[in-house]
């Protein structure tokens, strides 16, 4: 690959990533001004990621524009660090999400989840009191449980619904408790639970309580996080391949610039 071709490709790739970085930073700033504290907590990492991408893109763009081998060296080193970081995170993500799956229940189209099925990392994070209080407040604000009665008008519709892991774990008591459902958001708790599961006594029909203190809710969140992490891990594999190609082109550009400088 010639010096002109390689530097041209690197310039345009980094120009596009600069625009992408500005978009990411803008999204992070928008999140920081949002009233929802759950979104605010994600704002700083998003802005930081956008700023990091922007800095690397500028270094790569200027290095290719000025045919500066020093800037291209810096660009390649930072890009290499990103590749290593993506690889490590992806491997860890697949390891952490390897355990845990739902359990089928007779008469239900959705699955129920048990916290002990998931990895020790998930257990540590979800059993931490501070972490769970923050997550629980987000779950209450999301109104997923309140919306069940709006989505399923009749008890028949509710019983045949395919609930999400969070809806199945946080919005209702485990099936083993034996509480009869009156509607999608209310259970008859006058019945004595037929199971010794502590979640049976923790569940309340109150909007602010539901089963948010239950292990079944933590398990539902763990399953949701597992699905999300798997999606991110797959995306990272694709990103790793793309960045590896860019890294190869960058190596060609730096080598060509160095040879061009030595001949000049």
């Amino acid at each position: 690959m010639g010096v002109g071709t390689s530097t041209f490709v690197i310039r345009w790739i980094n120009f596009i990533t600069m625009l992408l970085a500005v978009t990411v930073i803008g999204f992070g700033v928008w999140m920081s001004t949002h009233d929802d504290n759950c979104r605010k907590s994600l704002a700083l990492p998003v802005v930081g990621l956008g700023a990091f991408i922007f800095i690397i893109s500028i270094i790569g763009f200027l290095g290719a524009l000025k045919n500066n081998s020093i800037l291209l060296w810096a660009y390649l080193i930072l890009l290499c660090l990103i590749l290593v970081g993506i690889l490590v995170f992806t491997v860890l993500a697949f390891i952490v999400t390897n355990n845990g799956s739902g359990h089928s229940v007779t008469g239900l189209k959705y699955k129920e989840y048990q916290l002990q099925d998931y990895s020790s990392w998930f257990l540590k994070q979800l059993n931490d009191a501070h972490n769970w209080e923050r997550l629980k407040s987000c779950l209450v604000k999301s109104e997923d449980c309140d919306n069940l009665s709006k989505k399923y008008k009749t008890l028949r519709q509710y019983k045949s619904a395919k609930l999400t892991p969070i809806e199945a774990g946080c919005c209702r008591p485990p099936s083993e408790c034996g509480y009869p459902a009156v509607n999608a958001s209310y259970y008859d708790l006058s019945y004595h639970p037929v199971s010794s599961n502590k979640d049976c006594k923790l569940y309340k029909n109150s909007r602010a309580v539901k089963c948010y203190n239950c292990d079944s809710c933590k398990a539902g969140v763990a399953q949701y996080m597992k699905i999300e992490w798997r999606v991110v891990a797959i995306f990272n594999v694709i990103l790793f391949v793309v960045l590896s190609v860019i890294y190869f082109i960058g190596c060609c550009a730096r080598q060509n610039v160095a040879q061009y400088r030595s001949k000049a």
Side-chain angles (χ1 to χ4, degrees), residues 9 48 105 117 127 161 173 204 220 227 251 261:
V9 173
V105 179
D117 293 341
N127 284 325
K204 303 296 178 184
I227 295 171
C251 287
R261 292 283 186 182

Side-chain angles (χ1 to χ4, degrees), residues 169-215:
C170 303
C171 304
R172 49 180 293 282
S175 297
E176 61 183 285
C177 298
Y179 294 132
V182 178
N183 55 47
S185 61
Y186 192 89
Y187 284 79
D188 188 348
L189 302 182
S190 63
Y191 285 72
H192 183 75
V194 297
S195 171
S196 59
N197 189 336
K198 66 176 183 178
D199 288 355
C200 298
K201 294 184 177 180
L202 290 174
Y203 175 83
K204 303 296 178 184
N205 287 312
S206 169
R207 173 184 176 277
V209 180
K210 290 296 182 181
C211 215
Y212 295 130
N213 295 313
C214 302
D215 282 348

Side-chain angles (χ1 to χ4, degrees), residues 86 89-90 93-94 227-241:
I86 291 174
F89 175 82
T90 303
F94 277 113
I227 295 171
E228 293 294 304
W229 275 46
R230 277 294 173 94
V231 172
V232 172
I234 293 171
F235 172 77
N236 279 349
V237 171
I238 298 172
L239 182 61
F240 183 83
V241 173

Side-chain angles (χ1 to χ4, degrees), residues 105 107-111 148-149 151-164 167-168 172 184:
V105 179
L108 299 179
K109 290 189 176 181
Y110 54 88
K111 294 181 178 181
L148 286 179
S149 58
K151 290 167 63 177
Y152 310 111
K153 303 295 184 182
T154 66
L155 188 59
R156 182 176 180 181
Q157 289 178 338
Y158 176 56
K159 288 185 175 182
S160 61
K162 293 183 178 180
L163 302 183
T164 66
E167 290 173 342
R172 49 180 293 282

Side-chain angles (χ1 to χ4, degrees), residues 1-11 58-75 249-250 252-264:
M1 186 179 291
V3 61
T5 304
S6 57
T7 54
F8 175 81
V9 173
I10 289 297
R11 281 201 303 268
I58 286 181
I59 293 173
F61 180 80
L62 292 177
L65 182 66
K66 302 293 185 180
N67 288 332
N68 189 307
S69 60
I70 296 177
L71 288 178
L72 288 174
W73 258 121
Y75 171 69
I249 297 172
C252 292
R254 192 214 61 80
Q255 186 177 10
N256 291 335
V257 167
Q259 291 176 352
Y260 176 78
R261 292 283 186 182
S262 65
K263 293 178 181 179

